[in-house]
């Protein structure tokens, strides 16, 4: 599920002149711009959820179970996309679900990036046995298929959204660690670093302030990849019943409860999956655009 | 005229003989894998469908479609006047099935009967613990160790059971699945070969079908027992396709991959009834769905708290969400209205969240554990959804419910523990048509830790059900049970949900199927027309 | 070449040890008592508890327990399933071929469709066809496959009745497993219609499992082709007058395939992860479904051992892919 951006040889990030130049390259891809628009819309929906959702996501409107969408016979205009088996409005749950999906993406990526940067910096900068130990552990994590590892971790930690996020963050972290390590190793011997060191900069300063900013480009691209992976993985765990627990309106969890209604009420199945697809698609489009803009050697368009 | 008749007969013969060239196979989409094939050690309907009712027989059997008993492996029986001695006259010439792992050398006789029962209580027998974590739940739950004074072999074909005290339902108990008759010869052989677990993995019995193969979690295969004492059944092959998802089960019957399925999703009932390619069987289930409070744990040891929790639940909406168009009757008593001794004057707690809120606040009840499982049962199609609805209802009266979900086998094992916290959703499908089977099995004092999920032991209730158990006078029994229901209603050890309608769906080419009120799925009288 | 091979082995040994430590530690990390978790027993008396403790070796120091664990594994003893009381390795070997068969079909599906699609898109770069293909690939790559599977079942099995609902083969065929790969076993059994039944049962799960690898391979092929087509030697060949197809076929493709093979190798982990979801939806009796069922049934012995076995399989396949890669690309052998 996760592709890595190329690690070796790492192409040095272009020191782009500014946001304008970046935007010029980014906007050349219509897909990327479309993705950005959708993503921004999603963020707005997530932020404005309490305002725009017609009902509370967990409010049960008994006995209006399994109403079809408003445009179908038997539908109710109060519940635009119908109701679920417990009488909750699907549209409202989808809207609030966007909060969860974006939150999952943000938290998981933040955790993975922080962890990965720390480990990558330490490994790439200090080399020696620090490097060996850290990289072996990263290899170990990568030896397991990510979903399997996440499943096992959730088994240990217990089901729930927070545990699912922790588990997924752990499985995605090695990608960042490797990336940062490789970038650090290649940047470490550049002139600007040497001159900074001669000027008296300490290890920490060198690592964080000098080298790190130049590794940002592949990091950002990887972050968008992991963002979409995190959403898919959390949805998968929710679908298996190990992620967000009912009544949380997470899109994957909504699908888990909907399987028995495939024949009778297919709208309960269709809409949550569609939301996941659109969200992940938007992020992947952005990711492609970013890659093209930041790293012309890997251009795809 | 005579010529035409001969021609007709010849034609008919040709059709019959030609038709029999094809093996008649029936595929049953079963809802769960059997834990194993030894009916003494298991408790689920799916376990019995796969083991007890295909491969085994009992001394007496339930008639198809009824709760009356008829002769089985016992041709006839005598009960002594004091109700203490049952003498069974066994059928002669009954053969155990021959499989590729065992060939019997003798017919069924009294030794097999005694072995099948005594191994479930004799702790000196190696068969008492032949599987890890083994417990003969039903044998204990029916109080067999308490009532069994002695099994005596009078001769090869006569066996006598002496009870310690009279027990009116005992004959019906003999028709239950735990009382299936195993082959002692096979057991001895396994013991000698040190492969005792095979008794539960590769069953040998006298029943209508012979076990062929079990592919874990996928397929169970049987073939008709050619030497069946009641005559070889019409089917040649029987296959169980294990399909836990109800939607998938229905899809398979619709597409022809399966011929019979049970426990459809309530949501699909209208579509099933409208489908002309399917035959739908439905009957009022001899079942009840309920939710046990742990009556030994404060604050749920107070009946008024339990009543308040009951009153807080909008039961009608709950039933509508769970059962939709499938038909379910809200339960006022533990036993369904179709059962004799049902007390029509007893009414369950009315929905009154305001009153409930006050009582719960006065007693300081703010939290409760709520249990759910992943298996769909006839008395509760979706524990998880029910839990969500109940959780929301209780939240409205200020009680926060924490839902714990577990897999079915572990669920029941954890649920019966004496220290299990909170409200435990469960239910029951009757085994023998006798109210004792509901009251005693589920709420007697001796069932605490076994199947009394409320850990409830009430001396008045206990007195009533014991009186009913020992007395064979119907009027006296009825009165005792009616009184028991009044006590149950007053003490509210559990929230009562509903009695549901049970359905079996078959392809229209399946003929002869009778739906059993005891939720068994039997195929010994079934035929398929091609 | 041999040195390369040995080097590779040396590199994975620490990871192998790490995997065994993880599997060993798994049961001890679970909440609750590990002895009870391994026994799966209920209502354990104190005497029985002591018995179990000795049986599982918990009375020994932890390093001794670990060595015992390793010793057991090397003897092929991966424990006994709590649920079925059968050796875990036996269940694994029974169920593993189903996953292998599905994964192989999925990856072949992905390669057979993905590489030509990628090449096609690369040669028609910037056109509607290219954008259409890559757009489809991106959608496939963004799909939650459990949802995708459910949709396909609704459409093809539910409405159209073109494909069966679940399982590997029509239940009426009783095939005793020889290789475990039903495509082969059904042909060997000679039963009429068995092979067709196996194929029809394989169609939807293959499509579902193969969707993401297909998308990834298509994209990767296209970008590799584009990169190669922009190289000097290709332009030279073109300038020399060689026909486009010949240029692509001989020179570009061979070099373009190298990163694609790497990608294919990376998909093994993806396939096994995807198998978990696909098998659950299609009731496919493979190790993915086995693992998920074991987690729900709290059969921790199975979870622990399948963790180990799956990781071992992934490592093994990665090793083979690395070796194949070294065969194709002599350059990396020297590194």
């Amino acid at each position: 599920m996760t592709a890595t951006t190329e690690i070796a040889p790492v192409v040095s990030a272009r020191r782009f002149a500014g946001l304008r130049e970046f935007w010029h390259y980014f906007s050349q891809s219509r897909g990327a711009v479309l993705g950005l628009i959708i993503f921004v819309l999603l963020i707005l929906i997530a932020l404005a959820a309490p305002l725009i959702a017609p009902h509370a996501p967990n409010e049960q409107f008994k006995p209006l179970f399994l109403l079809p969408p408003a445009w179908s016979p038997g539908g109710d205009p109060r519940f635009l996309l119908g109701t679920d088996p417990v009488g909750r409005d699907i549209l409202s749950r989808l809207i609030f679900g966007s909060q969860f999906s974006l939150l999952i993406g943000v938290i998981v990526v933040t955790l993975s990036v922080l962890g990965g940067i720390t480990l990558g910096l330490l490994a790439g900068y200090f080399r020696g046995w620090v490097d060996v130990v850290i990289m072996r552990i990263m290899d170990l994590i990568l030896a397991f298929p990510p979903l399997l590892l996440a499943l096992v971790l959730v088994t240990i930690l217990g089901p729930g959204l927070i545990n699912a996020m922790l588990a997924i963050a752990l499985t995605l972290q090695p990608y960042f660690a490797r990336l940062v390590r490789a970038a650090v190793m290649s940047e470490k011997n550049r002139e600007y670093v040497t001159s900074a060191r001669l000027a008296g900069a300490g290890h920490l300063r060198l690592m964080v302030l000098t080298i790190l900013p130049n590794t940002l480009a592949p990091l950002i691209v990887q972050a968008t990849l992991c963002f979409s992976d995190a959403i898919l993985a959390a949805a998968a765990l929710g679908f298996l019943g190990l992620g967000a627990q009912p009544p949380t309106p997470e899109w994957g969890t909504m699908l888990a409860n909907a399987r028995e209604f495939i024949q009778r009420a297919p709208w309960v199945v269709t809409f949550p999956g569609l939301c996941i697809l659109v969200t992940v698609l938007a992020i992947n489009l952005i990711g492609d655009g970013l890659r093209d803009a930041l790293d012309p050697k890997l251009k795809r368009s | 005229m005579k010529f035409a008749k001969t021609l007709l007969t010849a034609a008919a013969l040709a059709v019959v003989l030609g038709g029999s060239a094809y093996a008649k196979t029936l595929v049953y989409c079963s809802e769960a894998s059997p834990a194993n094939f030894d009916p003494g050690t298991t408790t689920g309907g799916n376990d019995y469908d796969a083991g007890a009712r295909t491969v085994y027989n009992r001394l007496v059997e339930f008639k198809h479609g009824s709760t009356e008993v008829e002769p089985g492996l016992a041709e006839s029986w005598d009960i002594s006047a004091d109700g203490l001695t049952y003498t069974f006259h066994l059928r002669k010439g009954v053969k155990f099935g021959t499989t590729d792992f065992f060939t019997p050398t003798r017919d069924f006789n009294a030794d097999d009967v005694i072995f099948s029962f005594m191994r479930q209580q004799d702790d000196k027998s190696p068969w008492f613990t032949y599987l890890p974590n083994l417990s003969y739940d039903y044998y204990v739950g029916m109080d067999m160790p308490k009532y069994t004074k002695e099994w005596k072999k009078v001769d090869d074909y006569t066996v006598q059971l002496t009870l310690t005290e009279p027990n009116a339902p005992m004959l019906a108990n003999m028709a239950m699945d735990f009382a299936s008759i195993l082959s002692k010869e096979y057991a001895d052989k396994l013991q000698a070969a040190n492969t005792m677990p095979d008794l539960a993995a590769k069953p040998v019995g006298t029943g209508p079908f012979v076990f062929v193969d079990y592919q874990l979690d996928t397929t169970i295969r049987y073939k008709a027992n050619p030497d069946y004492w009641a005559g070889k059944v019409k089917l040649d092959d029987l296959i169980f396709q294990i399909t836990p998802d109800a939607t998938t089960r229905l899809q398979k019957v619709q597409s022809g991959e399966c011929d019979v399925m049970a426990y459809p999703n309530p949501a699909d009932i209208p579509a099933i009834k409208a489908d002309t390619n399917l035959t739908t069987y439905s009957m009022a289930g001899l079942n009840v769905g309920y939710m046990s409070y742990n009556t030994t744990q404060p604050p749920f040891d107070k009946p008024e708290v339990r009543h308040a929790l009951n009153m807080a639940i909008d039961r009608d909406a709950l039933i509508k969400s769970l059962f939709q168009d499938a038909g379910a009757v809200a339960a006022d008593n533990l036993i369904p209205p179709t059962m004799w001794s049902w007390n029509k004057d007893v009414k369950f707690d009315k929905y009154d969240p305001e009153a409930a809120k006050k009582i719960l606040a006065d007693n300081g009840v703010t939290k409760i554990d709520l249990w759910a499982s992943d298996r769909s049962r006839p008395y509760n199609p979706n524990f998880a959804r029910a839990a969500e609805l109940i959780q929301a209802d209780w939240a409205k009266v200020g009680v926060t419910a924490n839902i714990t979900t577990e897999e079915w086998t572990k669920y029941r094992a954890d649920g019966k523990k004496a220290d299990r916290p909170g409200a435990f959703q469960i239910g029951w499908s009757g085994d023998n048509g006798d109210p004792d089977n509901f009251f005693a099995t589920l709420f007697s004092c001796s069932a605490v830790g076994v199947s009394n999920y409320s850990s409830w032991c009430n001396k008045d209730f206990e007195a009533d059900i014991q009186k009913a158990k020992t007395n064979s006078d119907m009027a006296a029994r009825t009165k005792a049970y009616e009184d028991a229901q009044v006590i149950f209603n007053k003490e509210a050890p559990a929230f009562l949900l509903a009695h549901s309608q049970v359905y079996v769906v078959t392809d229209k080419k399946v003929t002869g199927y009778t739906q059993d009120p005891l939720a068994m799925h039997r195929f010994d009288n079934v035929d398929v027309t091609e | 070449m041999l040195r390369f091979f040995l080097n590779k082995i040396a590199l994975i040994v620490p990871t192998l040890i790490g995997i065994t430590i993880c599997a060993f530690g798994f049961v001890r990390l679970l909440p609750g008592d590990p002895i009870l978790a391994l026994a799966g027993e209920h209502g354990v008396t104190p005497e029985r508890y002591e018995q179990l403790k000795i049986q599982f070796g918990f009375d020994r120091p932890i390093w001794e327990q670990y060595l015992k664990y390793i010793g057991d594994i090397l003897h092929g003893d991966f424990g006994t399933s709590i649920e079925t009381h059968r050796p875990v390795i036996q269940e694994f070997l029974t169920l593993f071929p189903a996953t292998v068969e599905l994964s192989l079909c999925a990856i072949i599906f992905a390669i057979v469709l993905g590489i030509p699609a990628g090449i096609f898109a690369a040669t028609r770069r910037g056109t509607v066809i290219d954008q259409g293909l890559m757009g489809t690939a991106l959608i496939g790559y963004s799909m939650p496959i459990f949802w995708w599977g459910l949709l396909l079942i609704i459409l093809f099995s539910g409405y159209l009745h073109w494909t069966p609902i679940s399982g590997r083969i029509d239940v009426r065929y009783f095939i005793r497993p020889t290789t475990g790969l039903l495509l082969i076993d059904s042909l060997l059994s000679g039963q009429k219609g068995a092979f067709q039944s196996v194929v029809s049962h394989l169609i939807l799960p293959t499509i579902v499992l193969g969707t993401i690898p297909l998308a990834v391979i298509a994209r990767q092929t296209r970008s590799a082709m584009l990169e190669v087509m922009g190289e000097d030697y290709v332009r030279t060949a073109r300038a020399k007058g060689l026909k486009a197809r010949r240029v692509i076929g001989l020179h570009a493709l061979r070099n373009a395939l190298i990163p694609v093979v790497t990608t294919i190798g990376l998909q093994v982990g993806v396939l096994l992860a995807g198998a978990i979801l696909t098998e659950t939806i299609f009731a496919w009796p493979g190790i993915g479904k086995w693992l998920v069922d074991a987690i729900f049934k709290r059969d921790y012995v199975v979870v622990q051992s399948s963790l180990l076995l799956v990781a071992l399989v992934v490592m093994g396949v990665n090793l083979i892919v690395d070796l194949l890669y070294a065969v194709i690309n002599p350059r990396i052998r020297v590194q």
Side-chain angles (χ1 to χ4, degrees):
Chain A
M1 249 199 268
T2 305
T4 54
T5 50
E6 297 209 314
I7 305 158
V10 166
V11 177
S12 61
R14 279 168 40 116
R15 287 178 146 252
F16 41 83
L19 220 52
R20 189 172 284 197
E21 195 184 334
F22 160 73
W23 179 252
H24 169 73
Y25 282 107
F26 184 81
S27 57
Q28 274 188 346
S29 161
R30 284 178 302 174
V33 175
L34 179 65
L36 190 61
I37 294 175
I38 297 177
F39 191 63
V40 168
L41 264 173
L42 264 164
I43 297 181
L44 290 175
I45 291 176
L47 289 173
L51 299 170
I52 55 176
H55 306 281
N58 292 338
E59 193 179 340
Q60 297 170 0
F61 291 92
K62 303 186 266 211
L64 300 170
F65 309 115
L66 289 177
L67 286 180
W71 60 82
S72 305
D76 187 324
R78 281 180 299 164
F79 308 107
L80 216 55
L81 293 179
T83 57
D84 75 356
V86 186
R88 298 176 291 216
D89 177 35
I90 291 181
L91 180 62
S92 306
R93 286 175 70 76
L94 291 176
I95 291 175
F96 276 90
S98 65
Q99 287 183 336
F100 283 96
S101 294
L102 291 176
L103 205 67
I104 289 169
V106 165
I107 293 181
V108 169
V109 168
T110 308
L111 286 174
S112 308
V113 165
L114 286 177
I117 287 180
T118 317
L119 292 174
L121 277 177
L122 289 174
Y125 191 82
F126 290 115
R127 301 307 305 276
W129 63 266
V130 170
D131 181 23
V132 170
V133 167
I134 292 180
M135 279 302 112
R136 290 295 126 237
I137 296 178
M138 295 298 109
D139 281 343
L140 184 60
I141 297 178
L142 287 173
F144 299 101
L147 188 62
L148 174 63
L149 191 57
L151 272 176
V152 171
L153 285 171
V154 168
T155 309
I156 296 176
L157 298 168
L161 189 56
I162 299 181
N163 293 337
M165 289 198 282
L166 287 173
I168 299 170
L170 185 69
T171 62
L172 294 177
Q173 194 199 67
Y175 298 105
F176 293 103
R178 279 192 169 182
L179 207 58
V180 171
R181 171 182 176 270
V184 165
M185 286 197 316
S186 92
E187 296 287 312
K188 213 168 64 163
N189 300 312
R190 294 282 218 86
E191 299 93 40
Y192 72 91
V193 175
T194 330
S195 53
R197 188 155 7 111
L198 287 175
H203 287 311
L204 197 62
R205 193 192 171 84
L206 272 176
M207 281 198 291
V208 178
L209 293 179
T210 316
I211 299 179
L212 190 57
N214 292 305
T215 64
L216 273 181
L219 212 61
I220 293 176
V221 177
Q222 187 66 37
T224 54
L225 281 170
C226 284
F227 199 100
S228 58
D229 281 340
I231 295 180
L232 282 173
L237 286 176
F239 176 72
L240 290 172
L242 294 169
Q245 296 293 295
T248 315
E250 193 264 323
W251 294 336
T253 313
M254 287 168 73
L255 275 175
N257 302 328
R259 272 187 81 182
E260 69 186 82
F261 299 102
I262 286 182
Q263 289 203 317
R264 154 79 181 253
W267 59 89
V268 190
V269 178
T270 328
F271 295 124
L274 211 52
C275 286
I276 300 176
L277 174 58
V278 168
T279 308
V280 175
L281 189 59
I283 298 166
N284 282 332
L285 281 169
I286 296 177
D288 273 356
L290 280 176
R291 199 176 311 146
D292 294 342
L294 295 174
D295 237 333
K297 201 142 187 269
L298 302 170
K299 243 166 128 61
R300 270 163 177 73
S301 309
Chain B
M1 191 59 191
K2 203 163 165 225
F3 176 66
K5 223 168 159 199
T6 322
L7 196 60
L8 220 56
T9 323
L13 258 176
V15 167
V16 165
L17 288 175
S20 67
Y22 297 96
K24 280 198 184 155
T25 312
L26 182 95
V27 182
Y28 171 60
C29 261
S30 101
E31 79 278 14
S33 303
N36 66 54
F37 294 96
D38 179 355
T41 67
T42 53
T43 55
N46 57 302
D47 303 315
Y48 296 149
D49 284 341
R53 295 153 191 169
T54 49
V55 172
Y56 293 107
N57 285 127
R58 289 135 290 277
L59 289 174
V60 295
E61 304 276 15
F62 291 110
K63 289 189 181 151
H64 280 107
S66 130
T67 57
E68 285 174 54
V69 298
E70 59 180 5
L73 287 177
E75 274 181 326
S76 63
W77 52 88
D78 314 302
I79 307 179
S80 65
D82 57 4
L84 290 176
T85 311
Y86 291 68
T87 309
F88 295 98
H89 304 283
L90 305 177
R91 209 174 285 271
K92 298 185 179 55
V94 174
K95 300 194 171 345
F96 281 98
T98 303
T99 58
D100 54 7
F101 47 89
F102 175 70
T103 310
T105 60
R106 63 163 177 78
D107 286 351
F108 153 76
N109 64 30
D111 291 329
D112 301 308
V113 175
I114 299 179
F115 166 69
S116 302
F117 285 99
M118 288 313 290
R119 66 167 180 134
Q120 301 188 48
Q121 79 173 69
D122 176 9
D123 52 6
K124 310 266 182 329
S125 161
W127 291 101
F128 194 63
T129 52
Y130 80 101
L131 290 176
N133 209 17
L134 175 60
S135 59
Y136 287 105
D137 280 335
Y138 254 108
Y139 194 82
V140 171
M142 303 303 293
D143 272 333
M144 291 296 287
K146 176 172 152 207
Y147 286 102
T148 307
K149 183 149 168 232
E150 187 196 15
W151 278 96
K152 195 165 80 167
K153 172 177 175 177
V154 174
D155 59 52
D156 269 347
Y157 294 101
T158 317
V159 73
Q160 218 170 54
L161 168 64
T162 315
L163 303 180
T164 55
E165 38 182 289
N167 182 329
M170 183 54 75
L171 193 64
N173 291 355
M174 293 289 123
M176 287 170 63
D177 304 284
F178 77 91
S180 297
I181 307 298
L182 279 59
S183 162
K184 180 165 192 300
E185 192 194 351
Y186 181 49
D188 289 338
K189 172 170 172 264
L190 291 178
Q191 194 174 344
N194 209 9
T195 53
M196 287 166 77
D198 274 358
L199 191 72
K202 297 191 195 157
V204 168
T206 60
F209 296 96
V210 169
F211 176 81
V212 173
D213 181 70
Y214 173 42
Q215 218 183 326
L216 185 67
D217 292 338
T218 316
T219 316
I220 317 175
R221 291 175 199 274
Y222 313 86
K223 62 180 190 350
N225 181 354
D227 306 312
Y228 188 43
W229 55 267
K232 177 186 166 303
V233 296
K234 299 200 190 75
L235 295 173
D236 296 306
D237 293 304
L238 176 65
I239 304 175
F240 277 36
Q241 255 247 306
I242 296 164
T243 316
D245 183 50
T247 313
T248 315
R249 279 204 295 281
L250 178 61
Q251 286 173 326
K252 285 185 156 179
V253 174
Q254 287 172 326
S255 73
E257 285 175 48
C258 285
D259 300 311
V260 183
M261 67 87 92
Y263 310 122
N265 276 325
D268 295 327
I269 299 287
I272 295 173
K273 287 189 175 159
D275 190 330
T276 49
N277 286 323
L278 303 176
T279 314
T280 313
Y281 299 84
S282 77
M283 65 181 357
L286 216 62
N287 62 42
V288 64
Y290 61 94
M291 182 170 63
S292 268
Y293 301 110
N294 190 332
T295 59
T296 58
Q297 289 179 347
F300 312 109
D301 52 347
K302 289 194 188 158
E304 63 168 357
V305 169
R306 301 197 290 264
H307 277 292
L309 288 169
N310 286 350
M311 292 192 294
I313 299 175
D314 184 353
R315 201 166 63 149
D316 289 332
L318 180 60
I319 291 175
K320 182 154 189 283
S321 169
L322 287 176
F323 296 98
Q324 291 138 27
D325 305 297
V329 169
D332 287 314
N333 287 303
L334 193 64
I335 55 176
T338 49
M339 210 170 209
W340 59 270
S341 81
W342 182 72
N343 191 330
K344 62 178 174 21
D345 298 319
V346 173
K347 294 278 173 260
F348 185 71
D349 297 316
K350 269 186 124 57
Y351 177 46
D352 190 344
E354 288 307 311
K357 195 171 184 174
K358 189 169 179 316
I359 300 174
L360 292 167
D362 288 343
N363 282 282
V365 182
T366 51
K367 296 192 305 174
I368 188 171
D369 285 281
L370 178 53
W371 291 70
S373 182
D374 56 358
R375 181 76 59 85
S376 172
R377 304 304 301 145
Y379 48 76
N380 190 334
N382 195 320
F383 289 107
R385 196 150 80 239
E388 279 187 69
L389 287 159
I390 295 174
Q391 186 188 45
D393 280 340
W394 279 344
K396 290 206 187 96
V397 296
V399 178
T400 314
N402 175 38
I403 302 178
T404 308
T405 313
E406 282 189 354
E407 175 273 331
W408 184 237
T409 315
K410 186 167 200 296
Y411 184 72
R412 287 173 297 162
D414 284 346
K416 65 184 179 184
K417 289 186 188 157
D419 58 352
R420 178 213 81 236
F424 184 79
Q425 292 186 77
I426 191 70
W428 182 249
S429 292
D431 297 312
N432 59 15
D434 194 298
D436 175 75
N437 181 249
F438 277 74
F439 293 115
T441 315
L442 303 178
F443 287 97
S444 71
C445 295
S446 57
V448 173
V450 178
S451 43
N452 183 336
Y453 294 95
S454 295
S455 295
W456 185 62
C457 183
N458 176 296
K459 66 174 177 35
D460 296 322
F461 183 82
E462 186 73 16
D464 272 331
I465 61 178
Q466 289 307 327
K467 191 160 64 189
K469 201 194 279 251
T470 52
N471 199 328
S472 26
D473 173 43
M474 275 297 275
R477 295 189 73 200
T478 306
K479 190 155 182 320
Y481 285 131
E482 284 175 347
D483 189 54
Q485 288 169 71
V486 172
I487 299 174
F488 189 93
N489 182 260
K490 189 163 129 239
E491 295 292 312
F495 164 81
L496 294 176
L497 178 62
H499 313 287
S500 70
Q501 195 83 344
V502 275
Y503 293 87
V504 173
V505 181
T506 73
D507 188 289
K508 63 179 197 280
K509 72 176 187 202
V510 175
T511 60
Y513 183 78
T514 17
Q515 197 179 8
D516 279 310
L518 299 173
M520 299 190 260
H521 304 101
R522 296 193 275 183
F523 302 102
D524 51 324
N525 59 340
V526 170
D527 199 357
V528 280
T529 56
E530 287 302 329
Chain C
M1 186 60 189
L2 187 63
R3 225 182 53 162
F4 176 79
F5 181 66
L6 290 173
N7 262 340
K8 277 279 163 193
I9 303 260
L11 275 176
I12 66 173
V13 166
T15 317
L16 276 176
I17 296 182
I19 294 175
T20 55
I21 296 180
C22 281
F24 173 73
F26 164 73
V27 178
R28 288 150 185 82
L29 284 173
L30 289 167
D33 193 309
I35 300 177
L36 294 177
L38 279 176
E41 296 198 5
H42 324 291
V44 167
T45 61
E47 304 92 50
R48 178 82 187 124
Y49 187 80
E50 289 305 311
Q51 263 185 332
L52 289 169
K53 198 167 173 190
I54 298 174
Q55 186 183 329
F56 291 123
F58 277 84
D59 52 335
R60 294 302 173 82
I62 199 134
W63 58 268
E64 234 187 272
Q65 292 179 38
Y66 178 66
L67 285 175
K68 177 177 185 298
Y69 181 66
I70 300 284
D72 285 339
I73 291 176
L74 290 173
H75 277 108
D77 175 13
F78 287 80
T80 313
S81 162
I82 297 174
E83 166 87 3
T84 60
H85 313 299
R86 289 156 34 149
V88 172
I89 189 72
Q90 203 183 71
E91 283 191 6
F92 179 81
L93 291 173
T94 314
L95 299 170
F96 188 50
T99 305
V100 167
E101 188 172 44
L102 180 59
S103 305
L104 278 177
C105 288
I107 199 73
I108 292 174
F109 166 77
I111 293 175
V112 161
L113 286 184
I115 294 185
I119 296 174
F120 199 57
T123 55
R124 283 165 184 55
R125 169 190 181 154
T127 63
V128 178
I129 294 180
D130 173 28
Q131 292 186 340
L133 279 173
M134 285 302 109
T136 314
L138 195 59
I139 292 178
Y141 182 61
S142 313
M143 194 82 83
I145 65 173
F146 46 92
W147 179 71
W148 179 223
L150 286 176
L151 283 186
L152 286 179
I153 294 180
I154 297 178
L155 181 61
F156 289 103
S157 308
Y159 277 131
L160 295 171
H161 297 292
W162 285 356
T163 45
I165 310 284
S166 66
R168 294 180 76 191
I169 186 173
D170 190 313
V171 115
R172 282 164 240 266
Y173 299 107
F174 184 22
I175 312 247
R176 287 202 191 269
T178 6
T179 62
L181 300 177
L182 276 183
L183 282 171
I184 302 177
D185 287 345
S186 60
L187 287 172
L188 287 177
S189 78
Q191 291 180 36
K192 252 186 80 174
F195 183 73
Q196 289 92 304
S197 177
V198 174
V199 168
S200 72
H201 279 82
L202 263 172
I203 295 177
L204 282 190
T206 302
I207 294 177
V208 170
L209 185 57
T211 298
I212 292 184
L214 168 60
V216 170
I217 289 176
R219 280 155 61 93
Q220 187 70 357
T221 307
R222 177 183 176 280
S223 75
M225 279 296 294
L226 284 177
E227 199 165 315
V228 151
M229 283 184 352
E231 296 272 339
D232 291 335
Y233 67 88
V234 174
R235 275 191 260 159
T236 318
R238 264 204 167 123
K240 277 203 214 158
L242 288 177
K243 280 180 78 175
R245 196 176 291 175
R246 198 146 179 244
V247 168
I248 296 171
L250 286 183
H251 302 278
L253 192 55
R254 193 166 3 121
N255 288 303
L257 277 183
I258 293 173
V260 175
V261 168
T262 325
T263 311
I264 293 176
L266 286 173
Q267 294 304 304
V268 175
V270 173
L271 280 174
L272 278 169
I276 293 177
L277 295 168
T278 311
E279 288 178 15
T280 306
I281 300 207
F282 288 96
W284 191 265
I287 55 177
K289 181 168 168 292
W290 182 54
L291 175 68
V292 171
D293 287 343
I295 289 180
F296 280 110
K297 292 180 191 165
R298 308 289 194 281
D299 194 338
Y300 293 123
V301 179
V302 170
V303 179
Q304 175 186 48
S305 303
S306 53
L307 187 64
L308 183 59
L309 287 165
V310 171
L312 286 176
V313 166
V314 172
M315 298 234 73
V317 175
N318 281 335
L319 188 64
I320 294 175
V321 170
D322 280 343
L323 291 176
L324 279 175
Y325 186 43
V327 165
I328 304 177
N329 187 1
R331 269 182 277 177
I332 75 152
R333 278 186 244 165
V334 197
Q335 280 177 357

